[in-house]
Amino acid sequence: MRKAFFEAGIPCPRFALADGDSDFSELLSGFSFPIIVKPTDRSGSRNIMKLESLDGIESAVTEACET
């Protein structure tokens, strides 16, 4: 939904799609912390993580992808 909003020029939170093979430093350049990592297929709050830095980003993304 956010991608559709972005493409239509409707304001929405900044986002990026990631997987375990992503270059997180590059992918998240220009983002400010904290960031939220969450699965794309859930609307609830399961496996959502709030990160204050890049520490733990790989495990958070891996966990989000596995759910």
Side-chain angles (χ1 to χ4, degrees), residues 21-46:
D21 296 326
S22 297
D23 177 350
F24 300 110
S25 295
E26 183 178 325
L27 183 68
L28 298 175
S29 69
F31 277 72
S32 58
F33 287 91
I35 62 169
I36 303 295
V37 176
K38 65 186 229 175
T40 58
D41 63 346
R42 302 249 190 262
S43 60
S45 58
R46 286 185 54 194

